[in-house]
Amino acid sequence: MLIEYYHGQNFWIEAGSHSEPVYPFNDQVLEEAEDLLKVKLPRELIQLMEIRNGGSLAYPNFVLPDKGEKDSLPGIYPIHMMNDDLSMLSLREAFHEAALPEGMVPLWSDYHNWIVLDYRHTKKDPPVLKVTENYTDHSWIYTEIAPAFNKFLKMLFRTDKGKETVK
């Protein structure tokens, strides 16, 4: 299996007839979202959202630093103000229902695992965390993936199965 790291191009899987909807992203959407969230989103995330406002990732894999385990971020939710569609903003309601702490902005979730920007101790350039449900006692396990979003991007990779193995 060959590993190809994200190199600053082709971050998103192209939208097709069976993919998620594409929402507009502009300065007004960004300003409203940052006002509502009370944070400054990472510049690199904003640049990616300007290309495509959320969707599936072409480089979805990363390795958890402390554990050495491969994990994935299948997509990033869009930023929009529509009440009936999933977005970073609407996902916050589920985040609160799960009794997760204030100050985190969800990028993606399956409701048992979350990839978040952790703003609890900063207003800009937050670390990226994986928050995992502990089924034993229904608490949450917090694992830092990267100290900042730009560092997280450098960790993302995809594999080409069927080729030579790379360890």
Side-chain angles (χ1 to χ4, degrees):
M1 167 172 38
L2 292 175
I3 295 176
E4 179 186 356
Y5 283 90
Y6 174 63
H7 50 80
Q9 296 179 336
N10 303 319
F11 183 77
W12 304 106
I13 292 177
E14 290 298 317
S17 60
H18 293 79
S19 70
E20 55 278 320
V22 177
Y23 298 94
F25 185 83
N26 54 42
D27 290 341
Q28 180 183 353
V29 170
L30 175 61
E31 186 177 315
E32 287 179 33
E34 288 182 334
D35 285 348
L36 182 64
L37 296 168
K38 297 177 178 63
V39 300
K40 177 80 175 136
L41 293 172
R43 179 178 48 86
E44 296 82 3
L45 177 60
I46 294 167
Q47 291 169 336
L48 291 170
M49 297 306 237
E50 287 172 340
I51 295 168
R52 183 158 195 256
N53 188 3
S56 299
L57 306 188
Y59 297 84
N61 304 303
F62 59 90
V63 174
L64 290 169
D66 292 343
K67 301 179 181 187
E69 298 171 0
K70 180 181 155 198
D71 208 327
S72 68
L73 172 63
I76 294 178
Y77 284 107
I79 299 172
H80 62 75
M81 307 302 166
M82 297 175 200
N83 292 332
D84 56 346
D85 289 342
L86 274 179
S87 77
M88 281 187 204
L89 303 174
S90 68
L91 198 57
R92 290 179 337 128
E93 293 174 26
F95 196 81
H96 294 298
E97 288 173 13
L100 287 158
E102 289 288 324
M104 294 185 184
V105 174
L107 297 175
W108 172 88
S109 175
D110 67 4
Y111 301 100
H112 301 285
N113 299 282
W114 301 77
I115 304 294
V116 301
L117 299 172
D118 183 8
Y119 286 95
R120 291 178 295 171
H121 306 291
T122 186
K123 290 292 182 203
K124 59 183 255 183
D125 296 324
V128 179
L129 302 183
K130 178 174 184 185
V131 182
T132 307
E133 185 175 3
N134 180 344
Y135 295 107
T136 305
D137 63 5
H138 302 289
S139 64
W140 295 99
I141 300 166
Y142 302 88
T143 305
E144 183 174 302
I145 302 168
F149 189 75
N150 63 342
K151 305 265 192 260
F152 176 64
L153 290 176
K154 293 176 182 176
M155 297 171 65
L156 294 175
F157 67 91
R158 62 183 172 194
T159 58
D160 186 5
K161 295 180 182 176
K163 305 278 176 140
E164 64 186 76
T165 302
V166 176
K167 293 186 180 185

